[in-house]
């Protein structure tokens, strides 16, 4: 016997682990313990087996591997004594899982223990079975469990009932065997048995339609009566939770009634009375009472309509909303969210209370309430609700502002009755929380502004006022700078005054002051400064008298460390200086941006929006490698014959706004590097064919392009299919590769939609004498299934006879081999054998195909054998 | 159903964990860590429920309650009543209280397997078996009695063998 084995007691080990000051110390202690346990395992040391297993469970909880203890569990379960069995079953539930084959070995012990005379041992076995049973075990042991449903001791009956749930979940076919026993269990008085039987009944109803019908007919009335008794029962101290009689049972009863009543008017009728009783009689000053009410509300919402009850239910939720307990308010909001689809009108009545919850100090309640408010907004209440929310924005927590602004903007956008109101509300939001809004919010605002021609003057004046008071909000600054650049003349001359406006006096110098302040503000980032430069260029033409001053400001950026700004200021300076004739035409007002295109693009490039923060090329100074995805994609856009400015997506939108200037310069700014970077990006895209998320905005952009081409499903695949020939060309001639790629991309939409994607043929096997080529095809609509046509060619001069091809695949694949065209393979490549294979990939998209092959044939009556493994299948088969 | 029951102390050490759907050890540890990282940031006086979808997978909720140094956490899906789960924590802790009288973290650490026994008497396969803490206690006491009787006989035989050896 190993002298070190098992000498420490469980407690000593726990103390030793607890005494460890560092993770490394803990690991050392655990390692030592594990070593001695392993030694004991290999010595087959009986005496300390159960102590060792107890230790292992503790070690397991701390997250260390304990697989070597699995067999010990089985040995302990097979032991006769109670303590061994107990710890064995505990270990079984913790250390093993239903997928391990070891588990099959325990079935027999379980069967014996289920028939044991000691009811506690039966209880242990039931518990283990209920927790970890696999489908096979469920099948094997179902008769035992079924029998135990009638066991004399109620404690065993209740465990057997829950164990049955696991069995029918694993093997739904067995459900019918349990229907009758459950029906009789439902008549029992014993609390635990009733509770578990109801649970089993609910699960039977979900797996089997017939069971549901049966219980609906036979048991609804009985269950209603049980609930009625529970509601009206005198105080029963043993099951009360803080003064409420037996809440768990009532909740289970309400839940089963919900299942039985759902979609069935007769059953629903039967339960109306009792539901009304529960809703009115249950005390709501305790958590347990509220739990019952909550469940009752859910049941009322799900069963067939009875108007009176629904009003009662929504009123209960209304009461919940004003409860002081956070938990109650939280669940009430959850439930109202569900109720809104059932009875929106009734929920509307509690709008004011819900709005109060948006201001709750508890973040999760606020979040819920905001989602709910969002669902509640409609044309009639949008104005007062928006006002409330914007007012609250002022005092809300910093970290809640982002959510709140996003919701407000979305509400305003969705339901604004008129443009002027939209612009006003957006300005308020930006002034309050301009630093928290996402980029697309102010992009969207600018699109709306350009579209409302009659409001240009009003907007630019409002923005001028706004930037005076809220100049610290980035989004306000950007929108104001953009608008002043575009509509500076309207600002100065008070053109397009609305009746409600008060006239303001702004000189040309004042307008330039604003831009100058913005460009010099130390918190302004590259985007804002770039926008300022363009605004200045535009103003230089609009305000000829300020031209010299503007030139000076532009010149200050010539020394900028940011290549982008430096280059832009040099270019603009020369425009202002030398090209007077060109200038006014160059800086004309932007054409009206098309709202439909913008919103469509936004919807189409959702992933791009998510990755804006890293993907926006303007955030990165100097336009080196990463920035290249945008210009390159623009090139791609061109190749797709779409007008470029309208075709780039989310993050590139800014460049559209800037008139494409920044864009073109970015592609000029680095002459050699960008191209390399660009091809890399494309190379990645094409060669890996990986899911869009990995490639961030660039892939998403391609997706949006493909949508423009009305070919959204196939063109990405088409890109992939083009990969292998193109990758080689990219590598050999990097300079011309972009053109190649573009050429490749151009015709891609013409790939016929219906044939599904194409894959290059694969040389699956090649020897000096024999070669095997796979051709792939897929049926559209079933991406998991790949049809493979295998072609065998014999390059030697001899004839191969009795030619047999065999293949094997791992478990996640299914392989179907069709008969070969022949079993004789003529020599010298004078013919071939073809054979079709069908492979179904159950892990399509996660794992790629892999196959082991064996080819046997006779050469001059001598047996020959070739074997090989193919793991270089195209990735997305 | 109930997906998991976890007890974590306020330093993030797991003190009890039981998963009712199979979860590999690494994933269990990962879950415990991410649950702890959310819990330890929860301010006081907020609701005891958390939307768990981001860390625990779709359709999962989490209810927790802090007792002294320990977080008691239940993870469950939408078929369970949140408020009832909250009460179930209470029932479990009440049972522990009856079992250890004045329960503290050390009791829980050292009587690790007893914690499991209690839990198994209350929850089986992710479903509630028994909510009466008296009845749970009865069962647990019976089980410990059975264990002691056999352990005692063993001890005698062992000391005998020591004497002989």
């Amino acid at each position: 016997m190993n002298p070190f084995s098992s000498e420490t007691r469980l407690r000593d080990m726990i103390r030793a682990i607890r005494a460890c000051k560092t993770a490394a110390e803990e690991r050392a202690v655990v390692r030592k313990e594990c070593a001695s346990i392993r030694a004991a395992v290999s010595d087959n040391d009986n005496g300390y087996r159960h102590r060792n297993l107890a230790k292992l469970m503790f070690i397991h909880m701390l997250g260390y591997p304990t697989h070597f203890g699995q067999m010990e569990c089985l040995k302990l379960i097979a032991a006769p004594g109670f303590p061994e069995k107990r710890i064995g079953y505990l270990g079984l539930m913790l250390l093993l899982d239903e997928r391990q084959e070891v588990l099959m070995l325990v079935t027999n012990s379980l069967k014996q223990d289920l028939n044991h005379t000691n009811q506690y041992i039966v209880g242990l076995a039931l518990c283990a079975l209920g927790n970890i049973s696999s489908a096979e075990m469920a099948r094997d042991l179902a008769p035992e469990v079924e029998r135990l449903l009638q066991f004399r001791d109620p404690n065993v009956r209740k465990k057997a009932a829950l164990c049955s749930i696991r069995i029918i979940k694993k093997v739904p076919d067995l459900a019918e065997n349990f229907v009758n026993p459950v029906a009789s269990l439902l008549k029992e008085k014993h609390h635990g048995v009733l509770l578990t039987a109801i649970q089993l009944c609910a699960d039977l109803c979900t797996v089997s339609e017939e069971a549901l019908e049966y219980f609906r007919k036979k048991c609804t009335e009985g269950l209603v009566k049980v609930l009625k008794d529970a509601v009206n029962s005198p105080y029963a101290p043993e099951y009360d939770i803080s003064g409420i009689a037996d809440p768990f049972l009532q909740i289970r009863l309400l839940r089963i009634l919900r299942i039985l009543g759902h979609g069935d008017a007769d059953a629903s009728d039967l339960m109306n009375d009792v539901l009304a009783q529960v809703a009115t009689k249950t005390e709501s000053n305790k958590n347990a009472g509220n739990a019952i009410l909550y469940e009752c509300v859910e049941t009322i919402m799900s069963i067939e309509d009875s108007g009176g009850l629904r009003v009662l239910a929504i009123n209960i939720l209304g009461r919940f909303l004003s409860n002081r307990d956070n938990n109650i308010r939280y669940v009430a909001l959850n439930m109202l969210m569900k109720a809104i689809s059932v009875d929106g009108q009734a929920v509307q009545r509690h709008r004011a209370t819900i709005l109060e919850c948006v201001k709750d100090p508890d973040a999760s309640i606020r979040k819920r309430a905001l989602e709910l408010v969002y669902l509640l907004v409609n044309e009639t209440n949008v104005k007062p609700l928006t006002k409330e929310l914007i007012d609250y924005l002022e005092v809300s927590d910093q970290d809640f502002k982002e959510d709140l602004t996003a919701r407000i903007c979305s509400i305003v956008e969705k339901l604004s009755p008129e443009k002027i109101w939209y612009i006003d509300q957006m300005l308020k939001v930006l002034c309050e929380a301009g630093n928290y809004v996402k980029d697309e919010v102010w992009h969207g605002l600018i699109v709306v502004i350009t579209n409302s021609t009659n409001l240009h003057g009003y907007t630019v004046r409002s923005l001028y006022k706004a930037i005076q008071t809220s100049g610290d909000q980035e989004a306000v600054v950007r929108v104001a700078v953009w608008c002043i650049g575009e509509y500076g003349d309207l600002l100065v001359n008070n053109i397009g005054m609305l009746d409600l406006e008060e006239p303001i006096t702004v000189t040309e110098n004042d307008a330039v002051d604003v831009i100058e302040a913005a460009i010099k503000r130390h918190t302004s980032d590259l985007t804002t400064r770039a926008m300022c430069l363009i605004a200045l260029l535009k103003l230089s033409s609009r305000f000829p008298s300020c031209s010299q001053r503007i030139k000076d400001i532009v010149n200050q950026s010539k020394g900028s460390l940011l290549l982008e700004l430096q280059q832009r200021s040099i270019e603009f300076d020369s425009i202002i200086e030398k090209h007077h004739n060109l200038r006014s035409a160059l800086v004309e007002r932007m054409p009206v941006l098309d709202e439909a295109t913008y919103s469509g693009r936004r919807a189409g490039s959702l992933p791009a929006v998510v990755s804006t923060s890293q993907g926006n090329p303007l955030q990165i100074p100097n336009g080196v490698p990463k920035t290249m995805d945008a210009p390159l994609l623009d090139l791609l856009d061109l190749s797709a014959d779409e007008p470029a400015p309208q075709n780039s997506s989310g993050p590139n939108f800014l460049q559209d706004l800037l008139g494409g200037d920044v864009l073109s310069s970015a592609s000029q700014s680095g002459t050699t590097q960008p191209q390399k970077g660009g091809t890399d990006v494309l190379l990645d895209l094409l060669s890996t064919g990986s899911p869009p998320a990995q490639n961030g905005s660039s892939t998403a952009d391609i997706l949006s392009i493909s949508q423009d081409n009305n070919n959204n499903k196939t063109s990405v695949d088409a890109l992939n299919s083009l990969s292998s020939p193109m990758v080689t060309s990219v590598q050999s001639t990097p300079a011309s590769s972009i053109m190649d790629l573009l050429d490749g991309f151009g015709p891609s939409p013409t790939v016929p939609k219906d044939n599904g994607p194409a894959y290059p043929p694969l040389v699956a096997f090649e020897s000096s004498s024999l070669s095997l080529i796979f051709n792939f095809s897929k049926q559209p609509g079933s991406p998991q299934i790949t049809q493979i046509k295998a072609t065998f060619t014999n390059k030697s001069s001899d004839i191969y006879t009795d030619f047999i091809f065999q293949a094997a695949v791992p478990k996640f694949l299914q392989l179907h081999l069709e008969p070969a065209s022949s079993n004789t393979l003529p020599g010298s490549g004078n013919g071939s054998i073809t054979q079709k294979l069908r492979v179904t990939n159950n892990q399509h998209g996660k794992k790629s195909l892999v196959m082991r092959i064996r080819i046997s044939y006779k050469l001059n009556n001598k047996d020959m054998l070739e074997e090989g493994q193919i793991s270089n299948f195209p990735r997305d088969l | 159903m109930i997906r998991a029951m976890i007890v974590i102390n306020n330093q993030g050490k797991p003190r009890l964990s039981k998963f009712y759907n199979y979860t590999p050890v690494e994933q269990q540890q990962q879950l415990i860590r991410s649950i702890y990282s959310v819990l330890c940031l929860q301010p006081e006086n907020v609701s005891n429920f958390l939307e768990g979808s981001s860390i625990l997978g779709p359709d999962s909720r989490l209810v927790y309650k802090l007792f002294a140094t320990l977080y008691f956490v239940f993870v469950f899906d939408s078929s369970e009543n949140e408020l009832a789960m909250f009460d179930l924590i209470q029932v479990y802790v009440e049972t522990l209280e009856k079992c250890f009288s004045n329960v503290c973290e050390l009791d829980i650490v050292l009587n690790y397997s007893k914690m499991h026994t209690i839990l198994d008497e209350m929850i089986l396969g992710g479903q509630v078996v028994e909510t009466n803490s008296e009845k749970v206690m009865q069962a647990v006491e019976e089980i410990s009695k059975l264990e002691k009787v056999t352990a005692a006989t063993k001890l005698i035989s062992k000391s005998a063998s020591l004497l002989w050896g």
Side-chain angles (χ1 to χ4, degrees):
Chain A
M1 195 166 152
N2 185 326
F4 296 107
S5 75
S6 323
E7 60 198 27
T8 47
R9 295 187 308 151
L10 175 62
R11 287 195 170 212
D12 295 334
M13 181 194 81
I14 294 176
R15 290 215 173 86
I17 289 177
R18 272 168 61 81
C20 293
K21 291 199 174 59
T22 63
E25 271 179 51
E26 184 186 293
R27 276 197 295 276
V29 171
V30 169
R31 211 165 26 231
K32 205 174 131 218
E33 284 292 342
C34 283
S36 76
I37 294 171
R38 272 172 196 268
V41 168
S42 56
D43 286 353
N44 213 359
D45 173 6
N46 279 320
Y48 289 106
R49 188 170 276 148
H50 88 282
R51 176 199 280 179
N52 283 340
L53 194 57
K55 284 183 187 171
L56 268 187
M57 284 188 282
F58 191 84
I59 291 170
H60 173 268
M61 182 179 63
L62 297 174
Y64 295 91
T66 51
H67 49 273
F68 52 88
Q70 289 171 351
M71 285 310 288
E72 297 297 286
C73 293
L74 305 193
K75 288 179 189 156
L76 281 171
I77 291 171
F82 184 84
E84 285 83 6
K85 273 191 192 299
R86 202 189 85 71
I87 209 86
Y89 276 118
L90 207 49
L92 180 72
M93 288 186 276
L94 292 176
L95 309 185
L96 275 78
D97 74 83
E98 62 181 73
R99 297 186 309 185
Q100 274 153 341
E101 275 150 24
V102 189
L103 201 55
M104 285 308 293
L105 302 174
V106 87
T107 311
N108 207 27
S109 305
L110 270 172
K111 193 166 195 154
Q112 279 171 11
D113 286 347
L114 288 174
N115 291 312
H116 206 279
T117 47
N118 183 338
Q119 66 166 73
Y120 288 97
I121 289 180
V122 178
L124 288 178
L126 279 173
C127 188
L129 187 62
N131 280 337
I132 56 148
S133 168
S134 63
E136 289 91 345
M137 290 169 83
R139 254 181 234 286
D140 290 347
L141 299 172
E144 262 71 26
V145 176
E146 213 181 303
R147 188 176 51 75
L148 289 172
L149 285 175
Q150 272 116 37
F151 197 80
R152 65 195 141 69
D153 188 276
N155 287 319
V156 171
R157 287 205 297 276
K158 69 184 183 190
K159 284 186 180 172
L162 291 188
C163 197
S164 312
I165 294 180
R166 176 89 182 188
I167 290 174
I168 59 164
K169 274 188 183 163
K170 287 288 161 193
V171 191
D173 308 347
L174 291 172
E176 57 182 309
N177 300 354
F178 288 94
V179 171
N180 282 321
V182 170
S184 59
L185 285 184
L186 286 176
K187 298 193 182 87
E188 289 216 26
K189 291 273 181 284
H190 185 271
H191 173 266
V193 177
L194 196 52
L195 188 76
T196 51
I198 292 169
Q199 189 53 45
L200 174 55
C201 179
D203 278 284
L204 279 171
C205 290
T206 47
V207 296
S208 153
E209 194 63 31
E210 288 143 40
L212 174 60
E213 278 308 314
Y214 177 86
F215 287 122
R216 194 176 266 160
K217 287 218 175 62
K218 302 271 172 165
C219 299
T220 310
E221 240 165 307
L223 289 167
V224 167
K225 190 171 173 305
V226 176
L227 181 57
K228 210 169 262 176
D229 290 346
V231 179
N232 297 317
S233 71
Y235 183 64
E238 69 262 37
Y239 286 108
D240 87 295
I241 306 281
S242 46
I244 304 290
D246 206 351
F248 287 98
L249 182 62
Q250 290 197 40
I251 287 167
R252 286 284 181 245
L253 280 164
L254 286 165
R255 183 159 169 261
I256 185 74
L257 290 182
R258 173 158 85 237
I259 294 169
L260 297 176
H262 184 72
D264 188 288
D266 292 342
S268 301
D269 260 359
L270 282 176
M271 53 192 80
N272 275 343
D273 275 357
V274 74
L275 290 178
Q277 274 186 27
V278 174
T280 46
K281 278 194 162 181
T282 309
E283 284 179 56
S284 62
N285 52 357
K286 296 273 167 48
N287 183 56
N290 285 324
I292 296 174
L293 284 173
Y294 176 58
E295 197 72 26
C296 183
V297 168
E298 190 163 2
T299 300
I300 291 173
M301 289 294 168
S302 319
I303 65 167
E304 288 314 293
D305 190 24
S306 153
L309 274 183
R310 292 225 165 128
V311 172
L312 195 60
I314 303 265
N315 285 342
I316 291 175
L317 293 181
R319 269 206 325 269
F320 275 14
L321 280 184
S322 39
N323 198 305
R324 283 217 313 277
D325 185 340
N326 293 326
N327 293 338
I328 308 288
R329 286 204 302 279
Y330 180 83
V331 295
L333 289 168
N334 266 346
M335 188 58 78
L336 283 168
M337 209 102 97
K338 287 188 202 162
I340 211 164
S341 59
V342 182
D343 191 351
Q345 227 30 53
V347 182
Q348 287 284 1
R349 279 202 294 280
H350 298 284
R351 206 173 53 220
T353 335
I354 296 167
L355 208 52
E356 280 310 301
C357 292
V358 176
K359 304 169 188 174
D360 202 276
D362 182 340
S364 42
I365 290 181
R366 277 200 308 252
K367 205 158 167 251
R368 270 292 128 103
L370 187 60
E371 281 166 33
L372 192 55
V373 167
Y374 183 69
L375 295 175
L376 281 176
V377 184
N378 56 27
E379 283 83 1
T380 51
N381 59 25
V382 59
K383 284 195 174 181
L385 268 179
T386 313
K387 184 176 180 310
E388 282 276 351
L389 291 179
I390 291 179
D391 288 348
Y392 175 59
L393 193 54
E394 202 174 331
V395 291
S396 67
D397 275 2
Q398 300 289 324
D399 42 356
F400 189 49
K401 277 188 175 157
E402 189 174 330
D403 268 353
L404 192 54
T405 49
R407 290 291 184 188
I408 297 175
C409 293
S410 169
I411 289 171
V412 171
E413 199 169 328
K414 197 171 65 172
L415 291 164
S416 84
E418 62 229 338
K419 289 218 160 119
I420 183 165
W421 185 80
Y422 174 87
I423 292 172
D424 280 345
Q425 304 310 311
M426 290 304 288
L427 286 190
K428 279 189 206 159
V429 172
L430 294 188
C431 288
E432 278 310 329
N435 291 332
Y436 300 92
V437 298
K438 297 207 177 78
D439 278 351
E440 61 261 40
V441 167
W442 62 267
H443 291 171
L445 175 60
I446 288 182
V447 173
V448 172
I449 292 174
T450 66
N451 275 287
S452 27
T453 324
N454 54 338
L455 295 175
H456 285 168
Y458 169 74
T459 311
V460 70
R461 283 186 290 277
S462 310
L463 277 164
Y464 180 78
K465 279 182 256 179
I467 201 171
Q468 309 293 335
T469 53
S470 313
D472 53 339
Q473 306 286 347
E474 194 79 32
V476 177
V477 174
R478 288 185 187 174
V479 179
V481 163
W482 191 88
C483 284
I484 291 173
E486 290 293 320
Y487 314 120
D489 43 339
L490 308 182
L491 170 66
V492 175
N493 303 325
N494 275 335
I495 293 171
M497 284 294 275
L498 301 184
D499 297 340
L500 54 107
E501 272 186 88
E502 284 180 25
I504 51 167
T505 339
V506 184
T507 64
E508 294 182 350
N509 267 320
D510 292 341
V512 178
D513 280 345
V514 170
I515 313 272
E516 187 178 13
I519 202 171
K520 285 187 176 156
R521 213 166 58 108
H522 67 277
T523 53
S524 294
D525 63 4
L526 176 58
T527 310
T528 312
R529 289 187 190 174
M531 291 177 80
C532 287
L533 278 179
I534 289 172
L536 286 169
L537 178 66
K538 296 209 165 191
L539 287 183
S540 73
S541 153
R542 270 152 224 177
F543 303 156
S545 63
C546 290
S547 196
Q548 188 53 44
R549 184 178 166 210
I550 287 171
K551 191 166 167 296
D552 292 343
I553 303 172
V554 169
N555 277 341
Q556 286 164 8
S557 294
K558 275 187 179 170
S560 171
L561 287 176
L562 302 174
L563 183 60
E564 194 56 55
L565 294 182
Q566 194 188 62
Q567 183 170 359
R568 198 75 45 250
S569 60
I570 292 170
E571 287 166 4
F572 289 179
D573 179 51
S574 77
I575 292 174
I576 298 171
E577 176 98 45
K578 296 175 195 154
H579 302 286
H580 285 283
N581 49 344
L582 260 179
R583 192 172 60 186
S584 61
L586 199 61
V587 300
E588 261 180 19
R589 222 166 261 174
M590 289 274 288
V592 172
L593 297 160
D594 184 13
E595 264 174 299
T597 317
Y598 173 68
S599 51
R601 180 192 304 150
R602 248 206 322 185
S605 62
L606 224 53
V609 172
V610 175
S611 62
T612 309
S613 54
Q614 329 116 13
N616 189 346
L618 284 178
Q619 303 287 337
I620 301 148
N622 296 355
V624 257
K626 273 194 182 168
T627 59
M628 280 317 295
D629 30 349
L632 195 71
L633 283 162
D634 234 71
L635 290 173
L636 288 173
D637 285 344
L638 288 170
S639 80
D641 283 327
E642 293 276 342
Q646 297 191 353
N647 207 8
S648 50
S649 69
N652 301 334
F653 177 69
L654 180 66
Q655 296 158 350
D656 299 351
L657 286 179
L658 302 177
D661 284 331
V662 176
L663 192 71
S664 56
S665 84
S667 54
Q668 293 159 8
S669 58
T671 41
T672 50
Q673 223 174 358
Q675 292 209 335
K676 196 156 164 279
T679 43
D680 282 346
V681 169
L682 266 180
L683 243 168
D684 274 355
L685 272 176
L686 296 171
S687 61
T688 59
S690 49
Q694 288 185 359
N695 279 311
S697 65
S698 46
T699 319
D701 283 355
I702 290 197
L703 279 172
S704 71
I705 295 162
S706 63
Q707 275 165 352
D708 289 341
N709 291 329
N710 292 328
N711 198 8
N712 41 6
K713 274 193 190 133
T714 48
S715 66
V716 171
D717 291 331
L719 267 175
N720 290 334
S721 72
L722 290 167
S723 61
S724 46
M726 264 185 336
V727 170
T728 46
S729 75
V730 168
Q731 282 161 347
S732 55
T733 53
S736 62
S737 62
I738 293 184
M739 287 317 293
D740 285 352
L741 290 172
L742 296 179
D743 290 343
F745 186 75
S748 70
T750 61
V751 171
K753 282 182 201 174
D754 298 332
N755 283 358
Y759 297 94
L762 174 78
V763 179
F765 180 81
E766 178 121 51
S767 71
S768 57
S769 57
L770 184 67
S771 90
L772 163 59
I773 293 172
F774 280 173
N775 281 295
F776 304 101
S777 64
K778 271 187 193 286
Q779 291 295 318
S782 50
Q784 297 184 331
I785 301 174
T786 310
Q787 306 275 2
I788 303 177
K789 192 175 143 206
T791 313
F792 303 88
T793 337
N794 179 357
K795 290 181 282 186
S796 72
S797 52
D798 305 302
I799 295 179
Y800 295 162
T801 55
D802 294 337
F803 190 90
I804 296 171
F805 168 67
Q806 289 167 302
V809 290
K811 273 184 185 164
F812 67 93
L813 298 171
Q814 279 162 0
L815 176 68
H816 178 82
L817 273 170
E818 283 179 28
S821 60
S822 154
N823 65 352
T824 314
L825 190 57
S828 322
N830 276 335
S832 58
I833 295 179
T834 59
Q835 186 164 16
K836 283 188 176 153
L837 293 81
R838 192 172 69 232
V839 183
T840 311
N841 185 352
N842 293 327
Q843 305 240 30
H844 178 71
K846 283 182 236 148
K847 292 190 180 172
S848 42
L849 300 189
V850 54
M851 191 183 283
R852 195 163 273 178
I853 56 166
R854 171 191 281 194
I855 302 166
S856 60
Y857 52 88
K858 281 190 176 158
L859 172 60
N860 300 331
N861 268 341
K862 215 170 69 189
D863 280 319
M864 304 293 285
L865 189 67
E866 307 272 16
E867 283 180 308
Q869 174 158 346
I870 315 167
S871 44
N872 55 340
F873 282 98
R875 273 187 59 124
D876 43 0
L877 283 180
Chain B
M1 71 180 272
I2 299 168
R3 298 221 175 118
M5 154 70 173
I6 300 166
V7 180
I8 320 176
N9 79 354
N10 54 4
Q11 271 136 39
K13 283 264 171 217
R15 288 304 177 210
L16 178 75
S17 67
K18 180 127 184 164
F19 289 78
Y20 291 98
N21 284 333
Y22 171 65
T23 327
V25 187
E26 304 78 41
Q27 202 184 333
Q28 290 186 6
Q29 293 299 314
Q30 179 61 39
L31 279 174
I32 291 172
R33 271 196 298 275
S34 44
I35 288 175
Y36 172 72
S37 65
V38 176
L39 289 186
C40 64
L41 292 177
Q42 285 283 307
E44 273 178 57
N45 303 323
V46 298
S47 68
N48 298 70
F49 305 116
L50 286 169
E51 193 59 49
S53 310
S54 51
I55 41 175
L56 305 160
D59 186 29
S60 51
R61 294 139 189 227
L62 183 156
V63 55
Y64 72 94
K65 197 162 183 189
L66 179 65
F67 289 92
T69 55
L70 293 171
Y71 289 100
F72 287 73
V73 181
F74 275 105
V75 180
F76 52 97
D77 64 16
S78 59
S79 69
E80 298 288 340
N81 182 317
E82 288 104 324
L83 295 171
M85 286 297 117
F86 188 60
D87 273 340
L88 197 61
I89 295 186
Q90 189 67 40
V91 174
Y92 185 67
V93 175
E94 269 172 28
T95 317
L96 291 183
E97 191 71 24
K98 280 185 185 141
C99 190
F100 298 114
S101 69
N102 234 337
V103 62
C104 67
E105 189 177 338
L106 194 64
D107 290 327
I108 286 172
V109 178
L110 294 179
N111 298 286
Y112 169 71
S113 72
K114 199 162 198 175
M115 296 275 287
H116 272 288
T117 312
I118 297 173
L119 191 61
D120 286 344
E121 286 300 317
M122 282 178 59
I123 300 169
L124 196 163
Q127 312 286 353
V128 180
V129 196
E130 183 58 69
T131 56
N132 181 347
S133 56
E134 289 292 338
K135 290 218 166 160
V136 174
M137 276 312 296
Q138 275 173 20
V140 173
E141 271 161 20
E142 281 297 326
I143 288 173
S144 353
K145 231 185 272 168
L146 273 173
E147 280 196 312
K148 272 192 196 118
V149 170
T150 357
T153 50
K154 258 210 172 149
L155 215 71
I156 293 165
S157 65
K158 213 170 276 169
S159 47
S161 70
L162 269 181
L163 273 177
W164 293 108

